Amino acid sequence: MALAPPKTAAALVIGNELLSGKVEEQNLVVLARALRGVGIALRRVVMVTDDVDLIAAEIRALSSAHDWLFTSGGVGPTHDDVTIEAAAKAFGVRVTTDPDVLAMIRAYYKERFTEGHQRMALMPEGATLETSPEVRWPTIRIKNTWLMPGVPEVFRMKIPVLLSRVGGGVAFVSTAVYTKMDEGVLKPLLDRVVAEFPDVDVGSYPKWADPTYKTKLTFDGREAARVHAARDAFVATLPEGEPQRVE
Amino acid sequence: MALAPPKTAAALVIGNELLSGKVEEQNLVVLARALRGVGIALRRVVMVTDDVDLIAAEIRALSSAHDWLFTSGGVGPTHDDVTIEAAAKAFGVRVTTDPDVLAMIRAYYKERFTEGHQRMALMPEGATLETSPEVRWPTIRIKNTWLMPGVPEVFRMKIPVLLSRVGGGVAFVSTAVYTKMDEGVLKPLLDRVVAEFPDVDVGSYPKWADPTYKTKLTFDGREAARVHAARDAFVATLPEGEPQRVE
């Protein structure tokens, strides 16, 4: 019985600091691995500056072309945080203050509460506040779009909430073969396995200056039996002394 | 005298292994920092799978909307390396074998040369092979689009070649102020400096669980005097005991 095609996702990474190289992007790989673990295929990532119209246009395009969209960054209270306004614009709704979140913020800051903090309670009208027993500070979701924070430590904290809602799919299966052969020599052997196993994603990654191997071959898919069959078929075509290892 | 607007760039990052989270993207921050050093503004990044039509469409769109486009990945000889074919498609030219590169490859592999290696000499018709005295292995450039390798060690090696052609601009100037104040409290002070210095890009980045500061404020621009004036104007509005430090 063939599996249904996987759900798809896109990510929109927001922030001038990333495009200028001042800050190194760290959330994408965390998101990609989390989604992969529940069988969701991350298909496209776009990184843009803190521009409200640009972000709104991307949210509109990416959310309608994928099952899920995850944005990262721009959800704080300062002038460069425009993701909530952009999401509202994308879905044609207003920005409103959520009374429950406002109460949480007031309770947290107590006598230090300022008007600036009030902006942290803004959300697109009709959005849902997602929490889990372990992660009580809410994450904003509007339709299929999750507005995740950019701060890496906080982004990571929110992953369980996200998985509790979008999860439940069949995880992708991955296996790797390491060889000391170079890609030019491997090409005909790979072509053969690619032709024979169209449902398995075969990747080839040369490594520079590693004494233990030269090229890593990966075999990925959603049916373990097919993935392993593809790998074994490939390994059977290798010359004596290869592969170096299988993972 | 006002500076001319900066040249702009986009990056197209190619590879199933990045979107699946199997491999962590490492080239973007290197490219962003190199471009910033020569005054080129990286404005947009797109990450896509190894799909030739998708890549061709992105190359067409990104190269026409920016002064420069840099692609990363998909330039090897195996089935998942489709960037050269995609670039040819994007610019409406054929893929041809470059005789000089073929000769280099033959000389390098000698008796180990195979048909698979031959694919490493493919390039879009009309492309230029860019080298520098230090980096003799060529990088393919077609019009304003550079086809960079995905392997991080090799990507880094190519940066000097790229800068020798696209460089020469006025570097961006950046300065940072660290405070123990939170963004809600900082917001009105930031709004003031943003309004007074529209030519300076002001960023605000909360840090989680760092004992030395809570929020980092950055001031970026192309005129050092304005960047420093904006920073000083902001620092002058801070309460006693702040900032923690200035960099």
Side-chain angles (χ1 to χ4, degrees):
Chain A
M1 196 185 71
L3 289 167
K7 297 269 184 198
T8 63
L12 178 60
V13 181
I14 297 156
N16 294 354
E17 74 281 16
L18 302 168
L19 287 161
S20 67
K22 284 197 296 177
V23 172
E24 193 162 354
E25 206 289 322
Q26 296 178 51
N27 296 336
L28 204 51
V29 71
V30 173
L31 178 68
R33 288 174 184 169
L35 293 176
R36 190 172 170 75
V38 294
I40 297 175
L42 180 63
R43 284 277 163 79
R44 181 180 176 82
V45 176
V46 178
M47 192 183 283
V48 293
T49 54
D50 304 321
D51 178 300
V52 67
D53 291 318
L54 200 57
I55 298 168
E58 286 297 339
I59 290 179
R60 216 177 290 122
L62 294 172
S63 69
S64 62
H66 301 85
D67 292 310
W68 296 105
L69 168 61
F70 303 91
T71 74
S72 163
V75 295
T78 58
H79 63 283
D80 55 349
D81 293 314
V82 297
T83 304
I84 287 165
E85 186 188 338
K89 211 164 186 169
F91 291 109
V93 299
R94 291 181 316 142
V95 174
T96 56
T97 297
D98 184 85
D100 296 338
V101 176
L102 187 60
M104 278 180 78
I105 294 168
R106 274 187 193 282
Y108 179 80
Y109 286 105
K110 298 199 182 76
E111 66 287 355
R112 293 180 296 123
F113 181 86
T114 68
E115 227 172 282
H117 293 120
Q118 202 155 329
R119 269 178 62 90
M120 296 166 72
L122 295 178
M123 54 184 267
E125 202 167 43
T128 315
L129 293 167
E130 301 284 353
T131 57
S132 73
E134 317 84 55
V135 187
R136 293 188 50 216
W137 197 271
T139 303
I140 299 171
R141 174 174 66 81
I142 174 160
K143 301 186 198 276
N144 68 341
T145 299
W146 293 71
L147 309 183
M148 305 276 284
V151 179
E153 297 90 333
V154 189
F155 188 95
R156 276 159 183 66
M157 273 172 41
K158 306 278 194 175
I159 294 284
V161 184
L162 177 166
L163 290 182
S164 71
R165 298 294 183 290
V166 310
V170 177
F172 286 89
V173 178
S174 186
T175 177
V177 175
Y178 296 80
T179 85
K180 288 198 171 175
M181 298 159 74
D182 72 55
E183 284 197 308
V185 175
L186 287 163
K187 180 179 162 41
L189 312 184
L190 290 169
D191 286 348
R192 217 178 298 161
V193 73
V194 166
E196 198 183 337
F197 295 88
D199 54 331
V200 176
D201 182 24
V202 181
S204 172
Y205 308 107
K207 179 77 182 173
W208 207 253
D210 184 309
T212 68
Y213 75 99
K214 196 179 274 180
T215 309
K216 174 182 177 180
L217 296 317
T218 61
F219 301 83
D220 289 82
R222 294 167 79 231
E223 294 191 61
R226 292 287 292 170
V227 169
H228 295 141
R231 178 199 60 196
D232 295 344
F234 168 73
V235 167
T237 64
L238 295 180
E240 220 183 295
E242 292 284 1
Q244 302 303 311
R245 65 182 194 271
V246 173
E247 270 173 13
Chain B
M1 196 186 69
L3 289 167
K7 297 269 184 197
T8 62
L12 177 62
V13 181
I14 297 156
N16 294 355
E17 73 281 16
L18 302 168
L19 287 160
S20 68
K22 283 195 297 175
V23 172
E24 192 162 354
E25 205 291 320
Q26 295 179 52
N27 296 335
L28 205 51
V29 70
V30 172
L31 178 68
R33 288 175 184 168
L35 292 176
R36 191 173 169 74
V38 294
I40 297 174
L42 180 63
R43 285 278 163 78
R44 182 181 176 82
V45 176
V46 178
M47 191 184 283
V48 293
T49 53
D50 304 321
D51 178 300
V52 66
D53 291 317
L54 201 57
I55 298 169
E58 286 297 338
I59 290 179
R60 216 176 289 122
L62 294 171
S63 69
S64 62
H66 301 85
D67 292 310
W68 297 105
L69 168 61
F70 302 92
T71 74
S72 163
V75 294
T78 58
H79 64 282
D80 55 349
D81 294 313
V82 297
T83 304
I84 287 166
E85 185 187 341
K89 210 163 187 171
F91 291 109
V93 298
R94 292 181 314 146
V95 173
T96 55
T97 297
D98 184 85
D100 296 338
V101 175
L102 187 60
M104 280 179 76
I105 294 167
R106 274 187 193 281
Y108 179 81
Y109 287 104
K110 298 197 182 76
E111 67 286 355
R112 292 180 298 124
F113 181 87
T114 67
E115 227 173 282
H117 293 120
Q118 201 155 330
R119 269 178 62 89
M120 297 167 72
L122 295 178
M123 55 185 267
E125 202 166 43
T128 315
L129 292 167
E130 301 283 352
T131 57
S132 73
E134 318 83 56
V135 187
R136 293 189 50 217
W137 196 271
T139 303
I140 299 173
R141 175 174 66 80
I142 173 160
K143 300 185 197 277
N144 69 342
T145 300
W146 293 71
L147 309 183
M148 305 276 284
V151 179
E153 298 90 334
V154 189
F155 188 94
R156 276 158 183 68
M157 273 173 40
K158 305 277 195 176
I159 294 285
V161 184
L162 178 165
L163 291 181
S164 72
R165 297 294 184 288
V166 310
V170 177
F172 286 90
V173 178
S174 185
T175 176
V177 175
Y178 296 79
T179 87
K180 287 196 171 175
M181 299 159 72
D182 73 54
E183 284 197 308
V185 175
L186 286 163
K187 178 177 163 42
L189 312 183
L190 290 171
D191 287 347
R192 217 178 297 162
V193 73
V194 166
E196 199 183 336
F197 295 88
D199 54 331
V200 176
D201 182 24
V202 181
S204 172
Y205 308 107
K207 180 76 183 175
W208 208 253
D210 186 307
T212 69
Y213 76 99
K214 196 180 274 179
T215 309
K216 174 181 178 181
L217 297 317
T218 60
F219 302 84
D220 289 82
R222 295 167 78 232
E223 294 192 59
R226 293 286 291 170
V227 170
H228 295 141
R231 177 199 60 196
D232 295 343
F234 168 74
V235 167
T237 64
L238 294 179
E240 219 182 294
E242 291 285 2
Q244 301 303 311
R245 65 182 194 272
V246 173
E247 271 171 13

